[in-house]
Amino acid sequence: DAKTTQPPSMDCAEGRAANLPCNHSTISGNEYVYWYRQIHSQGPQYIIHGLKNNETNEMASLIITEDRKSSTLILPHATLRDTAVYYCIVRGANQAGTALIFGKGTTLSVSS
Amino acid sequence: DTGVSQDPRHKITKRGQNVTFRCDPISEHNRLYWYRQTLGQGPEFLTYFQNEAQLEKSRLLSDRFSAERPKGSFSTLEIQRTEQGDSAMYLCASSLAGSQFRGEKLFFGSGTQLSVL
């Protein structure tokens, strides 16, 4: 079973920030938080991952709470092309090479 | 295009027939994964290779399913005696695992959509 909890759906206006929450209250010390997204009819796309510190790349920012029990993916200026299913996944270093367990994710709908 | 390539994109077959899918990972990626996805669900893990060695198989991978990665490059997934329940998107992903683990990025292909009639 997935070790994360995400809202099933969210809406966002184009140009605004999209903040996607994820709860992972049972995360252990060596587990990373990963975010992937899947646009309709395509394979999942890696977005970002982090362990303890906040991370930022060209696609998004990842904010991890100090206790690491939850995180937020931030798309700073959402566009229509960001409409997708967003998956939050946790996996440890000692699970490298084993399955990424996908839940049902959050369906983000960006509208103009 | 240097991404993960899957062939064919679509496959329609009759129940009981055998089908084979191919995945070409990103060059030099040493890990290769197969997933299956049905409508409205997240991808489900099937199996994984490190180079040519198949290191993990899911309980979902019944005896009718077999995967190979003969030279540690491309991989094939064969389904024998297909059933209607095998209808799904079959996704392949690859990654480059280094000696120091700092997280692993999987790169997915666009998948093969299988329809069993």
Side-chain angles (χ1 to χ4, degrees), chain B residues 24-44:
Chain B
D24 287 274
I26 293 172
S27 179
E28 298 181 353
H29 275 193
N30 52 3
R31 289 190 178 148
L32 188 147
Y33 299 78
W34 284 99
Y35 282 80
R36 180 176 71 184
Q37 186 173 25
T38 53
L39 197 61
Q41 304 296 316
E44 298 173 298

Side-chain angles (χ1 to χ4, degrees), chain A residues 32 34 36 38 41-46 49 87 91-93 96-104, chain B residues 9 31 33 35 37 40-43 45 48 56 89 91 101-110:
Chain A
Y32 286 76
Y34 293 81
Y36 284 76
Q38 188 170 25
S41 297
Q42 298 181 21
Q45 176 190 25
Y46 167 85
H49 75 278
Y87 298 100
R91 191 176 74 168
T98 60
L100 279 179
I101 306 297
F102 287 82
K104 292 190 175 182
Chain B
R9 286 296 310 274
R31 289 190 178 148
Y33 299 78
Y35 282 80
Q37 186 173 25
Q41 304 296 316
F45 170 76
Y48 137 73
E56 186 178 352
M89 173 76 79
L91 293 160
F101 187 80
R102 293 194 179 91
E104 181 181 2
K105 301 179 188 178
L106 268 62
F107 295 84
F108 283 82
S110 296

